[in-house]
Amino acid sequence: MKIERIEVRHVRLRLKAPFETSFGSKQDIDHVIVRVDADGVTGWGEGACQATPYYSPDTYQTTIHILKDFIVPAVLGQDLSWPGELPPAVRKIRGHPYAKAALDMALWDLEARRRGVTVASLLGGTRRRIESGVSLGLEAGGFDALRPAIDKALAAGYKRIKLKIKPGQDEALAKGFRQQYPKTALMLDANSAYTLADLPLFERLDAYDLMMIEQPLAHDDIIDHATLQKAVRTPICLDESIHSAADGRKALDLGACRIINIKVGRVGGLSEAKRLHDVCAERGAPVWCGGQHEFGIGRAANVAIASLPGFTLPGDVSGSDRYYVEDIAEPPFYVQDGTLPVPTGPGLGVEVVPERLERFTVSKLEFRA
Ligand code: OSB
Ligand code: MG
């Protein structure tokens, strides 16, 4: 595919309700949408970055900057024979995974459409449906305030509940949940809000039969996580600490975690997400697909990667109705029995609605070979 044209957009969508984590609350979500045209075919990609550098150092502004000044110049006019040729072409650019992921995703969509197949099949996916859980943000009213959302998710069939925690809102949430729902699969996500000084808390959390605790310690650490994992029975899952297949190999071999959350954006695209999946599968470590409130394009990419055989745990990729007032792509993903269907249409299996894309675009850049 000879890359003839690339479009980079800052798109802002509004969540139906605000979402609070250990680093703050948000309702407007800013992602970067990339369109690539080659050989008369169009592919779409999404960088699910953030407006603030709190979860990741990247923002939508750094993502657009790196695309405009480094990634687009490296690939515009180039003839790539396979999407997997993108990562080596941009390897000397350190970091900035969301910029790489947006273009990488567009190339997978484009290549699959050119061949008339699905991205899932091109990646080696084997499932027709993927298991789905929900990620619930913190609520000022603690566990009681979370109950309506938990009951709604369980009524819809979701396979597990993930609760965000932060110091002061942690053990009480696990305790409240277990009293009310003794058998329901539960996990907690700390988004790096703790240190090894909190070891007694994590030892107490062993009593609540948690599927896992996600990213309890620093975003850039695997050493302290290894110390913590040795001291507790609950499996540790890493999110923020893992940026590549190599990071996953090191973390698993060191014993820093037993499970890895694979996010397409955080690792720089579908190509690297697949490699990370393979590294974990070789080590017998289960993985699941994380989310960052993806729009319809990124959600479809999450479903595609989660169709690979190593994704044996329910992920954070929920039905479209849990997210945006209006989305930019159709059709939405509907949950049934706690699972989402892997699309059968060509490419990512979703279509961008031009009128909505325009309406929610904040800014746009266009590059031609
Ligand atoms: O830590 O998994 C996380 C959202 C934005 C950034 C980080 C995280 C999350 C979520 C939401 O947990 C998952 C989703 O429903 O998309
Ligand atoms: Mg997380």
Side-chain angles (χ1 to χ4, degrees):
M1 44 184 155
K2 182 164 185 302
I3 302 187
E4 290 143 16
R5 184 176 174 279
I6 301 178
E7 198 176 272
V8 175
R9 289 174 189 252
H10 168 198
V11 178
R12 178 176 293 155
L13 296 186
R14 175 146 271 243
L15 286 170
K16 289 179 175 176
F19 188 79
E20 185 180 337
T21 66
S22 58
F23 36 68
S25 178
K26 60 185 182 179
Q27 186 159 13
D28 285 322
I29 305 291
D30 299 90
H31 288 175
V32 174
I33 301 296
V34 168
R35 170 180 168 161
V36 177
D37 288 279
D39 307 339
V41 183
T42 298
W44 293 92
E46 174 175 341
C49 44
Q50 314 247 330
T52 55
Y54 305 155
Y55 167 81
S56 151
D58 270 315
T59 65
Y60 63 83
Q61 284 160 308
T62 65
T63 300
I64 292 169
H65 160 51
I66 296 299
L67 277 161
K68 168 178 173 282
D69 294 319
F70 298 98
I71 296 179
V72 169
V75 301
L76 198 62
Q78 299 291 311
D79 200 351
L80 301 184
S81 61
W82 177 248
E85 289 180 9
L86 177 70
V90 297
R91 186 149 292 147
K92 69 179 176 186
I93 303 166
R94 292 190 180 167
H96 303 294
Y98 297 94
K100 293 169 181 169
L103 187 67
D104 172 276
M105 193 183 295
L107 295 179
W108 280 97
D109 185 36
L110 200 152
E111 180 62 14
R113 283 176 193 270
R114 221 168 57 89
R115 296 175 183 218
V117 300
T118 64
V119 169
S121 68
L122 215 50
L123 287 167
T126 52
R127 295 171 204 283
R128 306 222 326 244
R129 302 190 70 89
I130 63 148
E131 301 222 319
S132 186
V134 298
S135 170
L136 301 178
L138 287 155
E139 295 285 345
F143 178 70
D144 288 338
L146 282 161
R147 282 202 49 190
I150 296 169
D151 287 334
K152 190 174 174 197
L154 295 177
Y158 284 104
K159 304 275 186 187
R160 66 102 171 102
I161 305 291
K162 160 167 143 181
L163 300 181
K164 295 284 184 177
I165 57 168
K166 68 176 181 183
Q169 276 200 61
D170 39 44
E171 192 177 359
L173 295 183
K175 191 173 187 172
F177 189 99
R178 269 291 161 257
Q179 275 170 358
Q180 201 60 43
Y181 312 96
K183 296 272 178 244
T184 304
L186 172 67
M187 61 173 288
L188 306 177
D189 185 0
N191 287 112
S192 300
Y194 298 86
T195 70
L196 276 183
D198 299 302
L199 182 58
L201 166 71
F202 293 107
E203 287 171 342
R204 289 198 304 279
L205 288 175
D206 269 344
Y208 299 100
D209 187 25
L210 302 175
M211 278 182 100
M212 70 192 92
I213 297 180
E214 184 179 349
Q215 198 69 35
L217 309 181
H219 71 97
D220 55 356
D221 168 77
I222 57 172
I223 308 289
D224 285 355
H225 279 105
T227 303
L228 178 59
Q229 182 66 93
K230 280 182 192 70
V232 299
R233 272 198 314 275
T234 304
I236 289 172
C237 169
L238 289 178
D239 173 356
E240 282 92 323
S241 296
I242 307 298
H243 303 282
S244 63
D247 283 354
R249 168 178 61 76
K250 292 170 199 173
L252 289 171
D253 290 354
L254 192 67
C257 62
R258 295 194 196 126
I259 300 171
I260 288 179
N261 165 346
I262 297 184
K263 283 186 187 167
V264 174
R266 195 196 67 229
V267 305
L270 287 165
S271 307
E272 190 66 18
K274 179 177 166 61
R275 271 194 289 277
L276 175 55
H277 159 274
D278 295 348
V279 155
C280 296
E282 281 161 21
R283 284 160 178 74
V287 301
W288 52 280
C289 188
Q292 286 187 231
H293 299 128
E294 282 78 3
F295 303 171
I297 301 166
R299 188 160 309 283
N302 286 343
V303 172
I305 194 77
S307 73
L308 269 64
F311 284 79
T312 54
L313 295 168
D316 276 350
V317 187
S318 321
S320 305
D321 61 307
R322 293 198 60 248
Y323 296 94
Y324 294 100
V325 179
E326 274 187 281
D327 203 331
I328 57 169
E330 288 282 342
F333 287 87
Y334 293 107
V335 68
Q336 210 189 327
D337 298 327
T339 64
L340 299 185
V342 179
T344 52
L348 289 168
V350 293
E351 302 300 327
V352 169
V353 181
E355 180 273 325
R356 288 193 220 151
L357 180 67
E358 286 306 328
R359 193 151 39 92
F360 296 116
T361 294
V362 181
S363 66
K364 171 179 153 183
L365 297 168
E366 192 187 333
F367 309 90
R368 280 174 195 276

